[in-house]
Every structure is written in C-alpha cells, then in structure tokens.
Amino acid sequence: MKNDAFYVTTPIYYVNDKPHIGHAYTTMLADMLARAHRLLGHDTWFLTGTDEHGQKVQEAATKRGIPAQQHVDEVVVRFQELWERLEITHDDFIRTTEPRHTRGVQEILQDLFDRDEIYQAEYDGLYDVRSETFITEKDLPEGCSLDSLPDWVKPIRETNYFFRMSKYQDWLIQYIEDNPGFIQPDFRRNETLGFLRKPLADLCISRPKARLSWGIELPFDPDYVTYVWFDALVNYISGVGYRHNDEQFARRWPCQVHLIGKDILTTHTVYWPTMLKAMGVDQPQCIFAHGWWLSGRDKMSKSTGNVVNPLDYAERFGVDALRYFLMAEMSLGQDASFTEEVFVKRYNSDLANDLGNLTSRVLKMVHTHCDAAVPVPSEAARTEPSAAALWSVVTDAVNGMETHIAAMRPDLGLHAVMTAVREANKYIGTRAPWKQAKEEDKQPLQDTLYVALEVLRVCAALLFPVMPGKMKALRHQIGAGEGDPQVNQLREFGVLEPGTPLLEGEGLFPRAQIEKIKEDPPPKAAKPEAAKLKAEKAENVVEISEITFDDFGKLALRTATVVAAEKVEGADKLLKLQLDVGGEPRQIVAGIAQHYAPETVVGKTIVIVANLKPAVIRGVQSNGMLLAASKGKNLVLVTTDAKIDSGARVG
Ligand code: MSP
C-alpha cells in the first residue's frame, strides 16, 4: 500500500429498503472524506453498493411474481439515482449479485472449507422466524420460556455449515488491544472488547436451500446457500479485485476506513476481522461506527412513520445545505437529532446569515466599487493589525479542518470554518467599507475587500468537499476560477489575481422558513369519561400507590457489568457508562457523576432497568437506567451481594 492511498467504504445497503436519511448520511460522509482526500492529491477509492440476497428479497419477488434477479435489478436503481441526485462521487458500486462478487465469495468459501476453517454440524436450538435468525433462551421475550415459546419462535434441528470463529477469539482481543485505532470511537472499541469477554461461538454461515434459495450457493454443497454476513462483508475485498486483479487489490487494500452504523458493530469488528484472519488477508486500518439519526428523541422507524426522506430536504433546501447540515450537526460516534426546526435553525444561522451575508455584502461592494474585478491590494492588506488577526483565524480554520477530519470530527472542522466566517463579518463591520468607499483614497477600501475575498477563497476550499455545488459557484463569483481549489495555497495570502473579473451569480443561501414538511397528527381529544376518571383518580392520590405483580413484571431488571465510564461533556452530573448485559453491549447515561468518579465504577456489577424506552440525554443516547439508592445528599449504586454473570434477571 502506498502512503497516500485512501480507500473508504460504506455498508452495502439492503436493496429492499427505501433509501432513508441513515443511508444518505453514511454515503455523504464517505463522499466528503473521498473528496477531501482527492483534493489533497491522495490515491482515493470510494466503494458503496447494495446487499441483494436474503429472505426478504426472495419474498418480495415472489409477491410480485417475478424472478428475484429482476426484482433487485429494478429496485437497486432507487439507490443509484439517489446517489446521483446527492452528488455522490463513488468510484465503484458493488452489487452482491454481480459475478465478480459471487465468484469471490465462492472461492473464499472453498478455500476455507479445504483448510477446515468451515465445517458441517447439526444445530439444535431456537429459530426466530420473524428475523430469520437463530436465537438462544436469553433472547426470549419476558414471560416466555423453553416450555412456552411465542409462536414466531420455533425449535429447530438443522444441519448447517459453521466458520471456526471461536478459535480466533484470543487473537482478536490481542489485535484490538495492540491497535487502538482499529475500532473507533474508543467507546465502541470497548464495546467490542466487552462482547469478547464472553466465549465466542462459531459462526453459522449457511441456510439450506429448502428454506432460502436466494443466496450464493456453497461451492462444496449445492443444497446450501451462504447466509447474510459471509456474503455481504466480502464486498469490501471482492470490490477491489481480491484474487482477480492483484494489482488493484495491492493498490487499494487494506482499506483506510470502513464507515458503519453502530448497529452493525459486531459483524464488522468481530466477524469480519476473524474472516480476514482465516483468509490470511490484512486487516482494514479502521472501522468507524457512527451513531444514529433520531427523529427528535425517537428512533426512526417505518412503523411510526417518522423516517426522514433525504430527497424532501434536498428538494427544499438544496443538496448542499442537506450535506452541510448532516456533517455539521452530528458529532461522529454519538446519536443526533434530525428535525425540521433544528435543520432550519442551523441553515439560517450558518449558511444564510454568516456565510451568505458575508458573500453577498462583499460581492456587492466589489461589483459597485471595484468594477466587478478582484481589487488591487497594498502591503497593508497583509500587515494591517485587524487583517493580520483575521488571517490568523483563517489559518486556524485550515489547521482545524485538517486535524478534525483526520480525527473524524467534521463537525468541529466546520465549526472552525464558521468561526473564520464570523470573524470576517466582524472585520467588515469594523472596517466599514461603505464608509471607506466615500473617502478619496480608495486603497483602504480595496484592501478590505481583497482581504474579504481571500477569506472567502479559503473558506470555499475548506467547504468544497461538503458543499461541492455551492462552493464551485462561490469560487466563480470571487474570481477563483473554474477548476478545483488548490489546497496547497490555503495558508498563503494573496493568491487571487488582482484584476480578475468576478462572475455574476445568484445568492447562495436564501433564508428559509419552518413549514413542517409533514404535519404532525393533531393530538387526540381525551374522551370525556376518561377525563372524568382521571380527575377522580387525581383526587385520591396516595403517596406510594400499589402496583400488581403484573405491573412489576413489566420491568426487565438485569445485572450489568460496567465496562467503561466517562463524563458527559458539559454536564456536571452525568456519566456515560458502557455496559455488558449478558454479552450485549449497551450505553446508558446516569446522574451519578457527583458521587462516583468514572474509574471507580468500572468493573462493578450493577442493576439496570433494561427495557426502559431509549432516550437522548444531553445529546447522548441512553438505553436503560441504573438503580441507585439515595437519601438526602447520599447516593449509592445498587450492586449484587456476590458475583453473578451480567444479564442475570433481578426480581
Ligand atoms: N446490509 C447490511 C450491511 C452490510 S455491510 C457489509 C445493512 N444494511 S442496512 O441498509 O440495513 O443499513 C445500512 C446502514 O444504515 C447501517 O450502517 C445502519 O447503521 C445505517 N442506518 C440505518 N438507520 C440509521 C439511522 N437512523 N441513522 C444513521 N444510520 C442508520 O445493515
């Protein structure tokens, strides 16, 4: 691999889903990184694609009465068209039904089978027919047991093929510990290490064709197809020529970053590395899991109808504004909230007010007072104290963008750019070029406007990977030329050529109004009887009301081991805890920071309410609540009397 290589991937999306904001987000993030690396002159490769096999696709095709291949050929277009609309510049789009992929998967399977990395065994256990997955007793819903299974869970005895994943457990733990950048952010790395504290099972990789035929046939047993992950994950290498184009593979692999959502962490940080290890292929440099976009505080889901359609926003505010919002609003790793209010607020403040105003004020004055051409600066444009101070903030933005992008915090990079834009607005305010225009000596006016144009040149370059369309237009309007920005000139002052004509253009970011893309349904009026009953109840309130055993049974109390803890930024009372609950990683936010330092809770076995509705507290996702006893100013955690596994039932 060359030093300047940059290969970035997105997950390949289930082709049956309608593309939503989550898909658009990861793809735009990858696009922004790819564009930034291309500007830096790096040998960049950006791969995205679609995951086209499986039960749901098979069912959808059967329902339509057409072959599965025809179905996927038709629906994949939704993704391809959306990426075009959102100005995504992927270098390749891989579909798991393409021969280059299916052939790659089969060769890998055969090789692993020949080397006894894959074996056949009988599976005797439970099967969830709704999610088409094998489950264990602990996955059963409350109140169910092996003797009383819900109707969607079937006992199953089936012969299948297994990958010897378990034998790589120790190696994987060591690898993750030796390579701190391998899984990012750090708390996701801890989550994977927490998961690996329990014995790792072998991975079932097949389904009998009798049950699922729409998959890749096992080369050593035509009665089976390979199942989901052993198919999908391979795209990252089959898409860059693994075993078929050695030159391409050597040039691209190992990949610099696999971008994924937090829900597919285990598959990417446990299954994929062990698969690669068994194949004898190098590991990717980094697997980066981002958080989820929530609708307000709630999870987006088809059933609640609160899923954001990226096209709605792209149509209304423009693709670039949508791209800017997504990059600026999410602190990578954490969840973020997408609402029309938040969108319009950020759009108006950053784009319409700060950047839009700066641009329109400066351009208007250059058109009016400098014959619509880049003015001729004097030496004072560089040395005058307020100009020099502004230029140092601009240089901070260049440095900030560079370091924050490398640390996967585009939001902070954009913040640094907006700080420079605001400083430039202040500079214009104090230099008052409209007053300078009335003076006889026009040099100070020319200096002010030249400085402002130079700031816009640098900001347009820094924002170029995020808002390619608008920044191209801005570059035109300030006389910076047709081509891509030259990033090696960002710390240099005096790049714009005096006398270059400025091109006319439209205002970049007109102010927006909130108009609710979809109206929320009006709250249902309470029935009069219900209101009466509520009032009666309120009059009879007792201090501790009684509950039934059934009420209590609704609480899923579980033991949990604290794997990692840290303070929540900007909140004195909150700790963010990473827990292991019976092998499942979980994050909760708890108001205990004034009673426990983060390091003192790590390793404790605590008790949590595991089925509390998830909430976002100070921008951090909390999936559950811990139990603590408190009296007056005293607060202590509820822990167990003796050692017991995490995930144990409490009650
Ligand atoms: N096909 C698998 C991935 C295989 S990769 C080898 C898959 N597909 S998916 O279409 O269901 O999801 C793709 C990605 O979208 C996941 O990374 C998931 O985290 C992300 N998102 C789904 N909903 C999301 C949000 N609401 N917000 C952000 N991303 C979310 O899983």
Side-chain angles (χ1 to χ4, degrees):
M1 187 203 68
K2 291 188 296 169
N3 274 342
D4 69 350
F6 183 75
Y7 171 29
V8 58
T9 66
T10 71
I12 48 171
Y13 305 111
Y14 287 130
V15 79
N16 240 27
D17 281 344
K18 210 169 137 205
H20 59 66
I21 202 73
H23 304 131
Y25 173 67
T26 324
T27 313
M28 284 181 180
L29 176 62
D31 186 61
M32 187 269 289
L33 293 174
R35 283 173 183 269
H37 281 271
R38 284 188 204 116
L39 285 184
L40 290 165
H42 297 166
D43 183 17
T44 304
W45 198 252
F46 165 16
L47 178 70
T48 188
T50 39
D51 192 351
E52 303 191 352
H53 292 120
Q55 194 79 27
K56 284 192 186 135
V57 172
Q58 187 172 304
E59 279 165 10
T62 312
K63 221 166 161 188
R64 294 180 65 196
I66 57 171
Q69 186 65 53
Q70 185 185 337
H71 174 69
V72 293
D73 287 347
E74 285 171 19
V75 289
V76 69
V77 178
R78 289 186 204 159
F79 282 89
Q80 291 169 330
E81 284 180 352
L82 179 65
W83 298 157
E84 207 176 315
R85 173 78 184 90
L86 300 182
E87 310 214 12
I88 302 300
T89 55
H90 46 285
D91 295 289
D92 199 356
F93 187 101
I94 187 159
R95 302 177 52 190
T96 53
T97 50
E98 284 176 72
R100 63 168 167 163
H101 176 74
T102 52
R103 189 181 55 201
V105 170
Q106 286 184 324
E107 284 174 4
I108 291 166
L109 287 167
Q110 185 68 56
D111 175 47
L112 295 183
F113 184 71
D114 292 345
R115 293 194 283 112
D116 193 38
E117 296 281 352
I118 289 177
Y119 62 95
Q120 195 185 44
E122 187 156 271
Y123 176 84
D124 190 359
L126 300 174
Y127 192 73
D128 179 341
V129 289
R130 292 181 315 182
S131 61
E132 298 288 342
T133 47
F134 296 110
I135 60 170
T136 62
E137 196 184 347
K138 76 173 169 42
D139 301 316
L140 289 175
E142 289 297 308
C144 294
S145 67
L146 287 178
D147 300 327
S148 63
L149 293 175
D151 57 4
W152 66 86
V153 178
K154 308 278 177 222
I156 194 165
R157 178 175 288 204
E158 186 174 281
T159 303
N160 261 312
Y161 287 89
F162 292 81
F163 163 53
R164 293 193 193 281
M165 187 160 74
S166 60
K167 84 177 204 201
Y168 295 108
Q169 177 161 13
D170 292 342
W171 165 80
L172 181 58
I173 294 172
Q174 195 60 48
Y175 189 84
I176 296 172
E177 277 170 358
D178 291 346
N179 295 277
F182 181 52
I183 304 172
Q184 283 295 311
D186 281 347
F187 66 91
R188 297 285 173 216
R189 174 170 176 264
N190 291 338
E191 215 172 291
T192 300
L193 285 170
F195 177 85
L196 287 169
R197 236 176 256 140
K198 289 209 130 194
L200 194 58
D202 287 344
L203 182 67
C204 178
I205 60 150
S206 69
R207 290 288 182 270
K209 271 195 188 163
R211 215 144 55 71
L212 170 73
S213 59
W214 185 236
I216 301 176
E217 188 178 288
L218 298 190
F220 42 83
D221 191 339
D223 290 338
Y224 288 83
V225 292
T226 192
Y227 183 63
V228 183
W229 293 102
F230 221 92
D231 169 6
L233 288 161
V234 169
N235 91 87
Y236 299 134
I237 54 175
S238 66
V240 287
Y242 179 58
R243 280 169 170 261
H244 285 274
N245 183 341
D246 292 347
E247 196 190 321
Q248 188 196 22
F249 190 65
R251 181 167 168 195
R252 301 293 169 210
W253 194 261
C255 148
Q256 273 57 51
V257 56
H258 288 317
L259 295 174
I260 59 166
K262 63 180 182 181
D263 54 317
I264 49 178
L265 183 74
T266 308
T267 51
H268 280 77
T269 60
V270 178
Y271 299 6
W272 183 226
T274 53
M275 284 164 64
L276 287 169
K277 176 75 180 158
M279 289 177 218
V281 173
D282 288 345
Q283 298 298 322
Q285 277 183 13
C286 173
I287 300 153
F288 195 103
H290 63 71
W292 275 42
W293 283 98
L294 306 174
S295 176
R297 298 168 126 233
D298 303 320
K299 196 171 162 184
M300 288 185 195
S301 87
K302 268 192 246 164
S303 53
T304 25
N306 61 358
V307 178
V308 172
N309 179 353
L311 275 180
D312 289 343
Y313 281 81
E315 293 306 326
R316 209 173 129 202
F317 303 95
V319 170
D320 283 332
L322 174 64
R323 292 172 61 111
Y324 178 82
F325 173 79
L326 292 175
M327 295 306 125
E329 193 66 25
M330 182 174 266
S331 145
L332 255 184
Q334 306 297 330
D335 290 341
S337 170
F338 194 124
T339 65
E340 190 189 353
E341 282 80 355
V342 185
F343 188 101
V344 170
K345 201 167 151 216
R346 187 177 275 279
Y347 172 89
N348 279 339
S349 78
D350 291 8
L351 299 182
N353 284 357
D354 296 339
L355 182 58
N357 271 348
L358 177 66
T359 310
S360 64
R361 294 210 278 180
V362 172
L363 290 179
K364 216 181 205 160
M365 301 215 59
V366 179
H367 277 271
T368 320
H369 302 291
C370 309
D371 294 332
V374 175
V376 183
S378 72
E379 186 53 23
R382 189 190 302 272
T383 53
E384 186 276 323
S386 66
L390 172 60
W391 196 252
S392 115
V393 179
V394 170
T395 308
D396 286 349
V398 179
N399 296 337
M401 197 51 136
E402 200 173 271
T403 44
H404 293 310
I405 289 280
M408 295 293 267
R409 288 295 304 270
D411 57 321
L412 297 181
L414 291 174
H415 182 76
V417 179
M418 284 305 152
T419 305
V421 168
R422 278 176 215 121
E423 280 306 306
N425 271 324
K426 279 193 217 153
Y427 168 81
I428 297 283
T430 36
R431 295 278 292 181
W434 47 91
K435 283 191 195 152
Q436 291 175 326
K438 292 184 188 141
E439 304 289 324
E440 196 155 322
D441 177 5
K442 296 284 185 275
Q443 193 55 56
L445 169 72
Q446 301 209 24
D447 288 348
T448 305
L449 296 176
Y450 187 82
V451 168
L453 285 176
E454 277 286 279
V455 174
L456 283 171
R457 170 182 66 85
V458 176
C459 293
L462 294 176
L463 296 172
F464 197 83
V466 179
M467 298 190 282
K470 293 284 182 189
M471 292 306 108
K472 193 170 177 194
L474 176 55
R475 282 174 54 74
H476 265 156
Q477 294 178 20
I478 60 170
E482 276 287 332
D484 285 348
Q486 296 297 314
V487 287
N488 55 357
Q489 294 181 323
L490 297 185
R491 291 177 179 85
E492 266 171 53
F493 180 82
V495 172
L496 286 174
E497 201 57 51
T500 313
L502 305 196
L503 300 180
E504 289 283 351
E506 290 179 351
L508 295 175
F509 303 105
R511 261 191 93 74
Q513 300 286 334
I514 295 177
E515 58 180 43
K516 282 257 182 270
I517 287 181
K518 272 188 206 125
E519 281 297 336
D520 292 335
K524 283 188 194 142
K527 288 189 188 149
E529 305 92 291
K532 212 171 122 204
L533 246 165
K534 211 171 152 194
E536 277 168 15
K537 263 195 181 164
E539 278 173 23
N540 297 326
V541 175
V542 283
E543 217 186 337
I544 299 178
S545 50
E546 286 176 347
I547 59 166
T548 64
F549 190 72
D550 282 352
D551 288 336
F552 178 71
K554 286 182 192 155
L555 286 178
L557 297 176
R558 298 283 182 274
T559 58
T561 310
V562 183
V563 179
E566 62 181 299
K567 289 204 162 172
V568 173
E569 247 172 65
D572 297 346
K573 295 187 180 156
L574 300 180
L575 283 191
K576 182 168 74 180
L577 306 180
Q578 306 303 333
L579 307 176
D580 172 294
V581 187
E584 265 179 47
R586 213 181 241 260
Q587 172 174 296
I588 66 168
V589 175
I592 57 169
Q594 289 177 332
H595 305 273
Y596 289 90
E599 59 282 6
T600 61
V601 289
V602 175
K604 280 191 192 297
T605 300
I606 59 171
V607 178
I608 63 162
V609 183
N611 59 345
L612 193 72
K613 199 171 165 207
V616 178
I617 304 172
R618 291 289 185 109
V620 183
Q621 174 87 8
S622 182
N623 299 321
M625 179 180 98
L626 57 70
L627 297 191
S630 62
K631 189 150 198 189
K633 285 190 174 158
N634 244 348
L635 179 143
V636 291
L637 288 172
V638 174
T639 56
T640 55
D641 176 41
K643 205 157 170 46
I644 185 159
D645 277 351
S646 76
R649 209 175 281 242
V650 179

